[in-house]
Structure formats: C-alpha cells, structure tokens
Amino acid sequence: MCGIVGYLGDEQAYPILIKGLHRLEYRGYDSAGVALITGRKDLAVYKSKGKVAALEAACEDKDTTGTLGIAHTRWATHGEPNASNAHPHYSESRNLALVHNGIIENYKSLRAELEKNGMTFQSETDTEVLVQLIEYMMGTHKCDLYNAVQLALKNVIGAYAIAILEKSHPDQLICARKASPLVIGVGKSKSGRTEFYVGSDATPIIGYTNQVVYLNDEEVAYMDRSGKMEIANLNNVKVTPQMVTLQMNLDELEKGGYAHFMLKEIWEQPNALRNCIRGRLNIEQKDVNLSGVIDNKERFLNCRRIIICACGTSWHSALIGKYFIEEACHIPVEVEYASEFRYRNPVIYKDDIVIAVSQSGETADTLAAIQLAKDNGAFVYGICNVIGSSIARATDSGTYLHVGPEIGVASTKAFTGQVITLSLLGLAIAKERKTLTKEMYELLIEELCNIPEKMEWTLANNKDIDQFARQFTYCRNFLYLGRGYNYPLALEGALKLKEISYIHAEGYPAAEMKHGPIALVDHEMPVVVIAPKRGMYEKVVSNIQEIKSRNGKIISVVTADDTVVRGMSDYCFTIPDTRDCFVPLLAAIPLQLLSYYVAIARGLNVDQPRNLAKSVTVE
Ligand code: M6R
C-alpha cells in the first residue's frame, strides 16, 4: 500500500529514488511522483498517473538534478489514481513537499478546520491535508519543521509513514511513522560522509548500506547533510536510534533470468524451504528446536487454546496449521480473519496464545488483531517473512520464515514457508507437551526433510502446464475442491487464479459440492480437484464421479502412481506421495503454475495485478 523512498547525500538523488520506486512498485502502482531539491535550490515536484516507468518518461525533459529527494508509488485510498492525487503533495506556499503511506482517518475534520483558516486544497487526498496541517503548525507555533511535524501528528488519527522536504532548509530530510512501516538506511558516501536512505521497507536501501534504523510508532526522525540524525517522539522526547545490520542481499531482489518474480518465487520453493528448516530441524537426531517455543516453554505447556489471526493467503496457511497443530498437539486452534477478529469483541483468555501469520509483517488488520490480543493479556507469537517488520517487532516471540524476499504480489513461497513453519511449530509444541509418540514425531520430521526434494520432483514433472493452461484463457469460472488438509489449499488455489488472471474461482470442501455449488457444474466448468492417494481418497473419487456425470471438466492433482483418478480426469498434475499433512506443500506448486500460465495466456501482468498491493497497510 504505497511505497516511499528518500535520499540525502552526495550522489544524485533522482536515479536512487527511481530505482527504489521500482523495487517498491509491488506496494502500489497506480501513480508515482518525486520531489527534489534541485541544483538551483528549487523544490520541484513531478508526478504522473501509472507506473514508475510513466514517471520516468514524464521527467525526461525536467530538471532532475539534486542530492536530496523523496519519491512515492501509490495505491489509491482517497481520490482516483491521477496525477493531481499522486504524491508528493506541496503545502500551500510550496515550501514543503510530502509523501505518505497510510490513511489519515480524521482528514475531513482537519481539512474543514484548515479551510476555515483560509487554506485551499489542490487534491482530494488525506495526504494534502497532512502537509497543509504541518505548514499551518509552523506558522501558528513559529517553530521549525521538525517540531511542526510532531505537533501536527498529535492531531492526526490514523496511520502514516511520511517523508518531507522543505525548500527553505534544503539540507534536511524529515520522516515519521505510525502503523505504516519506515526504515532509515545510514551509509557512507565515496568521500566518507554520512548519507541517508529512507524506504517503506529495506528493498530500496539494499546495495547502498546494510545499516538501518527501524522507526517505531509515533517517532519523528531528523537528518541533515552534516550527518546528524535525531529521533524524537511526538512530545519531542529524544529516542536513541537502534542500528540494525540487514542480512538481505541484492541478488535476492533480482528476477534472475525468470520472466516474472512470481515464476522465480515458485521455482525457488525447494531452496527457500531448505532455508526455512535449516537449523531448526535436525535430521540426524530427528528433532525440532524452535527458540520461540523453548524460550516460552511454560506458555506453550499451559495454554488451553491457540488463535491464529491472518489475512488472504496467510489465512489459508493458518487453516492448514490449525489442522496440523490440533492433530499433533491436541490443543484447540481457532483461525480468524484478522479484520473480523479485531472488531468483534472476541473472548480472549490470558492463557491463550495468539499467533499472527503474515508474509509482510505489515498487514494493518493483523497488527490491530495482535494489539487486541496483547491488550487482553494473551501471549502473541509472530510468523513473518520480513525481518524487522512491524508484526515481528510487536509480538512477544516468533519464528521467521527465512524464505527470502517475496516480490510477486501473489504469494507463493511465503505460503509454503508458512505451512512448513506452522508444522515446525506444531512439532515443537508437541515435543514439549509430549502429545506425539516418538515414532510419529520422528516419522514426521523425516518426511518434512524430504519435502524440498519432492518439490523439485514436482517442478520437474509438471513442465507442460504452460501449454495446457492456454485452453482456459476465456474461462469465466473455476471450482477448486479438496478435503482435509487440501481444503485450505483449494481456497488458496482459487485465490491465486482470481488475483492474477481475474477469473472468478471458488474453493470448497469437496463434500460441500452437493450442498449447492454442484448446480454450477456444466461442460464449461473446469473443476480442479486435489486428490492424492491418501486420506479420504475414495470419497474424493466419488465427488469426481458426481462432477463427471454433470459434464464438468476435471483437472486433478494426483499421486504419481495413481491410475483411477487419472483415468477420470481431463488433465492431471502429478506429485510424489507424502503424508496427508504435507500434501499441500507439494500440491500448491501445480496450482501456482496453473494460475501463472493462465494469466500469462490472458496477457496479464502477474507481478502487478490490478487493484492489488503486496502489503495491505490500510484497513
Ligand atoms: O503480508 P500478509 O501475509 O499479511 O498479507 C496477507 C494478504 O494480503 C496476502 O496474502 C494476499 O492475499 C496475497 N496477495 C495473496 O497472494
């Protein structure tokens, strides 16, 4: 949901800002803009509708010189995506320019107040209200920008990550955050002087410096050309910046020869999962060690219920996690949409463990759900991919996925990483609570270790999906069916297709078909059935029969040596045999590839699907 970049140093800012925007484009791409203190000490703002490439084209004949600037790529919340609503926004006097990620909830009343005081507005955005409010504070309190930002933000209800330039102080950069992420990189220029980078996440900063400071909620940072950095809260109480060393490298952010990040991330899954289990799962000793569980052993021993909060794909992996944890640990697990949980006065006990699952670690609803759980005294455990993200920092303990940065908007390797991490968590809890026999514990560990190799087999043996997918270019609907552990995967398969190919798809528990959805089945309806030779195989075979009798087209995911379902299917994807609970890890791959190639056949941009953004930092 909007990406912010900033630079202050010795280098030309514009190329650094544009490169940063490209890396953040996954956060939003309906318009983009840049503000620069130019060589002539002007505060220039350039913006355009569309992607960052459109901004670059619009800037070709403009003065883009200067070593201080801020930039923005937008996912519209207030006002349609056009150049005037794009960021940066000037203040009325044009002395300030500001970029913003988040939502100012009370912007209407603030705007009305400012208008009463004679201020006029150029856009419909909440962001323009913010920059005007800051300018207003500077005027009425006769203070500098740093203080005015603190004063203004005290009046703001909502979420913000902001960066601001001031024409009359062309050597300073100010930023602030609350409930939207912001990272400051601190590097050294060629001449050895301190330079500053700002990003909505670390991706625009990688390659320049690995030293970063994560701003906390309601903190305002001041940086200037002398290398000074100061951070204070909204009451101007100074805070000592905590420098962190980033572990990410540049290669992880490139497409590495793949046409799209999504395809790269699908193929990366075997190695990503190896990284995820490394150091946690010991194959020689057949043991699992998760520091988050070991360090909080009493909590896990005494908890009577687990509640998992998540959104989208993370909600689907949470559902698979529920099945596994209930089976392995005998603890009741509830899975909640974070957006519902946060607003419905749920019953939360002090001995509950609330688990937040989030790739980005920035999803606003999940963050709010955590806060609610904490306010009610529950212990909160985070499962995130992005290191140092807001959720990772807001939770009491947790486990990172370690699957590397996921750039494609459609989540793939984070999904399988979450499923495997929840399985590790289930095994670690089962070990403490002694709810699995030694034999079963070791069998599960052994099989978990085989998953990366089995994923490699799956990728190698489903290579013709691209040819097959073309026939669905003009389909209007799909059904996805699965039972047990494969029901959440059916939901995930349907979501993948919807979000990147814009074809309507529904996921259902296979047995629910006859309670309604079967009415939709005819010769035009492709039905994807996850039908491994495990669990309720015979029952799934009967469900397939029911669809075939109504002329539905069967696309199945079957175990490699299957002949029965293969014989009933119009097309088959094959996976190696594995335990029931791990089938989704393998069966996810053909479903991801199917949605990818259907979207490609429809000529769509899979990495940047319309209306979506990678991290949903607004409600
Ligand atoms: O970063 P999170 O895991 O919290 O994100 C949750 C959802 O927004 C996300 O999974 C979304 O559904 C993806 N686009 C799915 O591919």
Side-chain angles (χ1 to χ4, degrees):
M1 302 276 129
C2 301
I4 289 179
V5 200
Y7 174 74
L8 166 62
D10 289 346
E11 302 298 322
Q12 286 299 302
Y14 179 74
I16 294 172
L17 297 173
I18 292 293
K19 203 175 188 184
L21 286 186
H22 278 297
R23 288 192 189 158
L24 287 180
E25 221 171 6
Y26 72 86
R27 298 179 67 87
Y29 32 79
D30 59 46
S31 55
V34 58
L36 294 158
I37 301 283
T38 65
R40 294 197 299 267
K41 303 283 179 226
D42 258 357
L43 175 54
V45 170
Y46 311 122
K47 22 195 210 180
S48 74
K49 184 178 173 175
K51 298 194 171 155
V52 178
L55 173 68
E56 284 178 272
C59 286
E60 262 167 22
D61 57 348
K62 305 282 190 313
D63 177 6
T64 55
T65 59
T67 54
L68 169 57
I70 53 176
H72 188 268
T73 177
R74 180 168 185 248
W75 186 87
T77 55
H78 293 72
E80 67 170 278
N82 58 27
S84 67
N85 287 333
H87 302 206
H89 286 282
Y90 277 125
S91 59
E92 192 161 90
S93 70
R94 298 199 160 214
N95 186 38
L96 306 179
L98 176 146
V99 289
H100 168 222
N101 167 31
I103 290 183
I104 308 301
E105 286 171 14
N106 59 338
Y107 82 104
K108 280 195 177 142
S109 57
L110 291 172
R111 180 170 173 151
E113 201 57 39
L114 292 168
E115 279 172 339
K116 241 196 261 164
N117 284 287
M119 286 186 132
T120 55
F121 289 81
Q122 307 302 317
S123 77
E124 303 152 54
T125 64
D126 52 341
T127 303
E128 194 186 1
V129 174
L130 192 52
V131 70
Q132 296 277 58
L133 179 65
I134 293 168
E135 181 157 283
Y136 178 76
M137 290 294 176
M138 286 174 86
T140 49
H141 291 262
K142 305 271 175 276
C143 60
D144 62 15
L145 178 61
Y146 188 34
N147 284 131
V149 170
Q150 295 162 3
L151 291 169
L153 293 179
K154 279 187 174 186
N155 291 281
V156 159
I157 300 170
Y160 53 79
I162 55 173
I164 317 162
L165 297 183
E166 183 181 4
K167 185 176 169 182
S168 49
H169 284 89
D171 293 317
Q172 76 179 20
L173 171 59
I174 285 175
C175 52
R177 75 152 268 184
K178 181 183 178 189
S180 292
L182 204 75
V183 189
I184 299 170
V186 183
K188 282 268 174 271
S189 72
K190 288 180 198 119
S191 58
R193 295 205 303 178
T194 301
E195 54 186 5
F196 297 104
Y197 299 83
V198 172
S200 290
D201 63 31
T203 55
I205 299 171
I206 305 286
Y208 299 113
T209 177
N210 63 359
Q211 296 300 299
V212 297
V213 174
Y214 291 97
L215 271 197
N216 291 310
D217 275 353
E218 300 197 332
E219 285 181 356
V220 185
Y222 166 96
M223 292 150 276
D224 71 21
R225 220 174 264 290
S226 73
K228 177 177 170 190
M229 175 161 77
E230 189 178 296
I231 299 178
N233 66 18
L234 300 189
N235 294 319
N236 201 20
V237 176
K238 303 286 173 284
V239 175
T240 312
Q242 301 295 323
M243 202 73 81
V244 176
T245 303
L246 283 175
Q247 304 296 346
M248 212 186 289
N249 65 49
L250 210 48
D251 292 348
E252 291 179 305
L253 298 178
E254 309 290 341
K255 280 193 210 145
Y258 287 91
H260 296 95
F261 281 111
M262 182 182 177
L263 191 60
K264 175 183 173 235
E265 286 156 8
I266 292 172
W267 278 82
E268 266 174 3
Q269 286 176 105
N271 279 335
L273 295 204
R274 282 189 183 103
N275 291 336
C276 179
I277 58 182
R278 182 169 301 129
R280 294 161 171 177
L281 207 153
N282 186 326
I283 182 64
E284 279 80 42
Q285 292 170 6
K286 299 209 173 105
D287 201 9
V288 170
N289 286 304
L290 277 193
S291 57
V293 175
I294 297 168
D295 297 346
N296 301 287
K297 189 174 162 177
E298 291 307 312
R299 284 276 187 179
F300 283 96
L301 283 176
N302 297 328
C303 102
R304 280 189 298 150
R305 180 176 66 157
I306 290 175
I307 302 171
I308 314 183
C309 294
C311 302
T313 287
S314 300
W315 190 88
H316 298 152
S317 65
L319 210 50
I320 298 174
K322 165 191 163 80
Y323 290 11
F324 187 84
I325 295 170
E326 288 194 338
E327 209 176 354
C329 314
H330 307 166
I331 306 174
V333 181
E334 290 166 19
V335 176
E336 295 270 358
Y337 284 114
S339 53
E340 290 294 315
F341 183 77
R342 64 180 289 195
Y343 285 121
R344 66 168 183 77
N345 294 323
V347 177
I348 304 170
Y349 301 110
K350 291 201 169 27
D351 56 3
D352 280 340
I353 292 181
V354 174
I355 302 178
V357 181
S358 172
Q359 187 287 130
S360 61
E362 301 296 348
T363 301
D365 285 321
T366 312
L367 256 171
I370 292 176
Q371 198 48 56
L372 180 68
K374 284 175 97 172
D375 293 346
N376 283 275
F379 176 74
V380 183
Y381 198 89
I383 295 185
C384 301
N385 191 34
V386 178
I387 295 173
S389 55
S390 303
I391 293 177
R393 288 180 304 127
T395 41
D396 297 307
S397 181
T399 304
Y400 282 119
L401 304 183
H402 289 314
V403 296
E406 189 181 70
I407 312 289
V409 166
S411 187
T412 52
K413 63 176 180 173
F415 171 71
T416 46
Q418 288 164 346
V419 172
I420 221 160
T421 304
L422 285 158
S423 308
L424 290 173
L425 181 64
L427 286 168
I429 302 172
K431 179 175 147 182
E432 300 300 346
R433 293 172 72 107
K434 302 192 179 21
T435 43
L436 282 174
T437 61
K438 184 168 184 295
E439 191 197 11
M440 182 52 75
Y441 178 70
E442 292 187 354
L443 267 175
L444 289 168
I445 289 175
E446 228 169 275
E447 186 52 14
L448 214 41
C449 288
N450 294 331
I451 292 297
E453 210 174 306
K454 291 189 176 184
M455 282 184 144
E456 272 159 0
W457 188 98
T458 308
L459 284 160
N461 286 276
N462 288 286
K463 278 199 169 138
D464 57 348
I465 298 184
D466 55 339
Q467 303 301 320
F468 163 73
R470 286 192 196 149
Q471 61 187 288
F472 300 106
T473 314
Y474 301 104
C475 270
R476 296 169 65 89
N477 297 291
F478 264 71
L479 273 178
Y480 285 72
L481 304 179
R483 280 176 178 255
Y485 283 97
N486 299 318
Y487 157 55
L489 183 64
L491 297 176
E492 173 60 9
L495 177 64
K496 285 288 87 85
L497 190 76
K498 271 187 278 213
E499 64 180 340
I500 59 168
S501 72
Y502 317 149
I503 294 175
H504 173 248
E506 295 285 343
Y508 264 94
E512 276 294 303
M513 272 290 289
K514 50 188 169 299
H515 298 288
I518 201 158
L520 296 168
V521 175
D522 62 13
H523 66 285
E524 287 185 346
M525 173 70 90
V527 184
V528 181
V529 190
I530 306 144
K533 248 180 161 178
R534 287 267 175 180
M536 290 156 285
Y537 179 70
E538 278 76 24
K539 295 202 182 298
V540 177
V541 170
S542 307
N543 297 140
I544 294 176
Q545 201 52 64
E546 289 155 14
I547 300 159
K548 277 205 77 75
S549 341
R550 280 137 189 109
N551 297 322
K553 267 201 179 72
I554 302 289
I555 304 165
S556 59
V557 182
V558 299
T559 313
D561 63 352
D562 181 284
T563 51
V564 178
V565 173
R566 191 184 291 272
M568 298 164 80
S569 304
D570 295 276
Y571 190 83
C572 260
F573 303 124
T574 46
I575 56 170
D577 186 35
T578 185
R579 301 198 70 86
D580 276 326
C581 53
F582 302 139
V583 169
L585 290 163
L586 305 180
I589 291 178
L591 301 192
Q592 294 165 349
L593 287 168
L594 176 66
S595 62
Y596 173 82
Y597 284 115
V598 171
I600 294 293
R602 287 165 71 90
L604 301 171
N605 182 345
V606 294
D607 280 339
Q608 294 173 344
R610 71 182 177 205
N611 305 338
L612 291 178
K614 183 73 180 160
S615 6
V616 185
T617 53
V618 294
E619 290 188 47

